[in-house]
Amino acid sequence: MLGEAALNLPFQSDATGKLMLRLTVGVLMLFHGIHKVINPDSLEFISRQLVGIDLPQVLAYGVYLGEIVAPLMVIFGIFSRLGGLVIFGNMIFAIVLAHRNQFFSLTDHGGLTLELQLFFLLTGLAVFLLGSGRIAIKPD
């Protein structure tokens, strides 16, 4: 059995863990935002979904905040808590608009159909709760 001292590696720290969390959620979410910039038709789908629940179509542009601006804030550590909160809110909208019929469904492999959406929802919340750590442009 390894003692606690054996696990105390030079790069092991609270700040490094927070950086890894920020980079993971930020980079992975940013790919979704880049996809929406390259394929603007996806905005039409979001607009239709918003209209379907009596919300204004203009809210569809919020996806750029939640999937481009907020991930960049989180990645670089600039107002990371706010960026994490925006990602969290973005995912609430995504789940309600596009995935509400999948709440209790499983994939063919037994996982939750909403695993990816829940990952982004909860890691955005984790960044909000934990902050950026020291390894950030503007630590919070």
Side-chain angles (χ1 to χ4, degrees):
M1 185 164 165
L2 292 174
E4 198 171 310
L7 297 176
N8 195 9
L9 302 171
F11 57 84
Q12 182 182 359
S13 72
D14 182 67
T16 306
K18 289 177 181 179
L19 174 64
M20 291 306 302
L21 172 66
R22 288 187 6 244
L23 291 177
T24 300
V25 67
V27 169
L28 292 176
M29 180 60 85
L30 187 59
F31 279 111
H32 290 268
I34 291 169
H35 173 77
K36 287 182 178 67
V37 169
I38 294 170
N39 300 291
D41 292 343
S42 59
L43 219 55
E44 291 176 30
F45 170 78
I46 296 168
S47 295
R48 286 192 308 273
Q49 297 297 318
L50 286 165
V51 168
I53 60 169
D54 297 325
L55 289 173
Q57 287 180 329
V58 71
L59 289 178
Y61 291 99
V63 76
Y64 294 127
L65 284 176
E67 296 185 10
I68 293 176
V69 176
L72 289 172
M73 292 167 68
V74 167
I75 289 167
F76 292 113
I78 304 170
F79 299 106
S80 294
R81 288 182 189 268
L82 177 60
L85 187 61
V86 171
I87 290 171
F88 177 78
N90 183 72
M91 291 316 301
I92 289 174
F93 267 91
I95 290 169
V96 169
L97 292 176
H99 303 284
R100 63 183 171 267
N101 62 340
Q102 299 172 334
F103 272 110
F104 302 106
S105 62
L106 300 175
T107 67
D108 293 338
H109 305 287
L112 286 173
T113 305
L114 288 175
E115 281 179 354
L116 182 62
Q117 293 78 14
L118 291 173
F119 168 82
F120 286 126
L121 178 84
L122 296 174
T123 54
L125 180 61
V127 170
F128 170 69
L129 295 172
L130 293 170
S132 64
R134 292 180 318 210
I135 307 169
I137 291 176
K138 186 180 183 322
D140 56 3

